[in-house]
Amino acid sequence: MRHIMLPFQTPPSSICILRLSAIGDCCHALALVRVIQREWPNTRITWITGKLEAGLFADLPGVEVIPFDKSQGWRGYRALWLQLKGRKFDALLHLQAALRASIATLGIRAGVKLGFDRERANDGQWLFTNHKVPSPDSPHVLDGFLAFARELGIKDLTPDWQLPIPAEQQAWAKAQIAGQPTLLICAAASKPFKNWTAAGYAALADHANRKGMRVLLCGGPAQLERDLAGEIQRLSHSQPVDLVGQTNLKQLLALIKEASLVLAPDTGPTHMATLVGTPVIGLYAHHNPARTGPYLARDRVVSVYQELIEAETGKPLDALSWRTRLKDPDAMAKLPVERVIARFDEWWQHRFKDDNPSKIPSSQREIT
């Protein structure tokens, strides 16, 4: 493979980005795409992503989005490689340190294949790349992605998440919100151990409702998510509206944009909220929110990660690897309701009372 010197002295003609999953990480990849587009508007960008994720990002202006269906096994790889046959990119940005993603790179021709350095690479990713991107000082996943842009020669790394939302999806979301201050609870992550308790969500829903807020539950169609929503409704006096399983990703993004506040564990909607500029409270126990928290709201998370990881390992946080994960499967149950309500109240005072009191329902303006 011919080696190309980096950084590029002139804008490259074409770049391929490989990030297959998950939704939150693809929101970070979107910021990288937009950074490249801003500095090199004439560079052709191809983004290979998962079939599900493509449903959210397929209409990104100026970007060719190619869906990869991992459920097809080797047929999925073959279909991808046939689609790329005869093409060569100036650079491949391999943003996923997973073997299934690395296998996909075998059929992607590029002058240089950038991947993580040994600090961030997993599953032997370094075997599939020929240029290692130095890790930044920040542990956050997005900063690790933006380091690829710096390596290419891009100067302005200010993240940007612009993504179009179709008018019909926006209209649908506005109808659900009905012009009211709205708390959107996205209760379930793809891994159940990341989920907070149904009792905790119900308590926060009731607290928000007493403030005069409409409360909506959202999520995917999986039975676990439906069951969690049902339990929240059973335990809640305010009976939040259950939209779980009733939205596609674009509808969910539109709903998040129209909401006043999003509450979610370590999962995609926390980062979708960042994408559309909606305030978000993230709930964390197993992973360091400095690495996986909502990028612009890391100071608003509620986390028991530090105290639990220090108790589990017997070491201070700054002596641990930034990727260290808590092993306790019941860690999220140790996240106190009172701390989440206190964080909500901080947001309430700032958003509705201090900044814009006219948006508080008249019956609630004396509540502090």
Side-chain angles (χ1 to χ4, degrees):
M1 181 180 297
R2 181 174 63 88
H3 182 67
I4 291 181
M5 295 295 294
L6 295 178
F8 286 107
Q9 300 305 306
T10 58
S13 297
S14 61
I15 288 177
C16 180
I17 294 174
L18 178 69
R19 181 72 211 192
L20 304 179
S21 62
I23 294 295
D25 289 322
C26 286
C27 288
H28 301 324
L30 169 63
L32 172 61
V33 169
R34 298 290 295 143
V35 162
I36 295 171
Q37 285 185 311
R38 184 174 61 221
E39 187 134 341
W40 294 334
N42 296 321
T43 296
R44 298 188 304 276
I45 299 175
T46 297
W47 182 0
I48 301 169
T49 191
K51 182 179 178 181
L52 173 67
E53 291 74 11
L56 183 59
F57 300 105
D59 56 355
L60 183 60
V63 178
E64 175 192 26
V65 176
I66 297 179
F68 172 76
D69 188 355
K70 66 179 181 180
S71 68
Q72 295 295 310
W74 285 108
R75 287 181 297 171
Y77 289 108
R78 178 175 172 79
L80 172 65
W81 295 337
L82 285 175
Q83 189 168 353
L84 296 175
K85 186 176 181 180
R87 299 175 62 178
K88 184 177 181 179
F89 303 95
D90 290 324
L92 166 68
L93 311 187
H94 183 359
L95 302 180
Q96 189 152 357
L99 183 59
R100 63 184 174 87
S102 292
I103 291 173
T105 69
L106 297 176
I108 303 172
R109 297 178 64 221
V112 59
K113 295 186 176 183
L114 291 80
F116 298 112
D117 62 10
R118 287 297 185 99
E119 183 180 352
R120 291 188 178 238
N122 286 332
D123 288 355
Q125 192 217 40
W126 58 85
L127 299 173
F128 297 83
T129 61
N130 63 359
H131 190 100
K132 316 309 178 193
V133 176
S135 292
D137 293 335
S138 165
H140 200 279
V141 173
L142 175 53
D143 290 319
F145 287 1
L146 293 177
F148 282 70
R150 178 186 290 110
E151 198 71 5
L152 293 175
I154 291 175
K155 305 299 183 185
D156 183 1
L157 301 180
T158 307
D160 170 13
W161 292 270
Q162 292 183 44
L163 183 69
I165 302 176
E168 61 270 24
Q169 313 291 23
Q170 294 187 55
W172 177 86
K174 287 179 183 293
Q176 309 309 310
I177 299 296
Q180 300 180 52
T182 300
L183 169 65
L184 184 64
I185 297 178
C186 303
S190 59
K191 298 176 181 177
F193 66 81
K194 292 184 178 183
N195 295 342
W196 198 30
T197 64
Y201 285 124
L204 197 282
D206 287 346
H207 182 74
N209 183 256
R210 286 193 293 270
K211 296 284 191 182
M213 295 191 75
R214 179 177 173 85
V215 182
L216 306 180
L217 304 177
C218 66
Q223 191 60 49
L224 181 145
E225 300 192 46
R226 293 180 183 275
D227 290 345
L228 180 56
E231 185 68 2
I232 293 168
Q233 283 198 310
R234 186 183 72 81
L235 296 172
S236 172
H237 300 295
S238 57
Q239 289 294 293
V241 178
D242 185 2
L243 295 177
V244 172
Q246 300 180 42
T247 58
N248 58 37
L249 283 175
K250 280 290 192 183
Q251 288 175 319
L252 177 57
L253 184 64
L255 201 60
I256 290 172
K257 182 179 179 181
E258 294 300 323
S260 306
L261 177 69
V262 172
L263 177 77
D266 184 8
T267 188
T270 59
H271 306 292
M272 293 170 70
T274 301
L275 194 156
V276 294
T278 298
V280 56
I281 297 175
L283 308 177
Y284 289 80
H286 289 89
H287 294 90
N288 188 347
R291 177 175 181 253
T292 64
Y295 194 74
L296 299 180
R298 282 168 282 178
D299 60 344
R300 200 181 291 128
V301 303
V302 183
S303 172
V304 290
Y305 173 79
Q306 181 168 352
E307 55 249 53
L308 295 184
I309 200 68
E310 290 182 345
E312 183 175 276
T313 64
K315 298 178 181 179
L317 182 62
D318 58 10
L320 297 171
S321 166
W322 48 265
R323 69 168 79 237
T324 304
R325 182 174 74 83
L326 195 72
K327 297 177 182 178
D328 180 0
D330 300 316
M332 284 294 285
K334 298 173 183 177
L335 197 156
V337 173
E338 295 78 13
R339 284 173 59 177
V340 181
I341 289 177
R343 184 69 77 202
F344 171 90
D345 286 345
E346 289 175 7
W347 167 81
W348 173 268
Q349 292 289 340
H350 175 72
R351 175 64 177 87
F352 285 123
K353 188 173 183 179
D354 296 338
D355 285 357
N356 203 346
S358 65
K359 288 197 174 184
I360 306 177
S362 57
S363 62
Q364 301 295 324
R365 287 181 189 162
E366 300 305 314
I367 294 177
T368 59

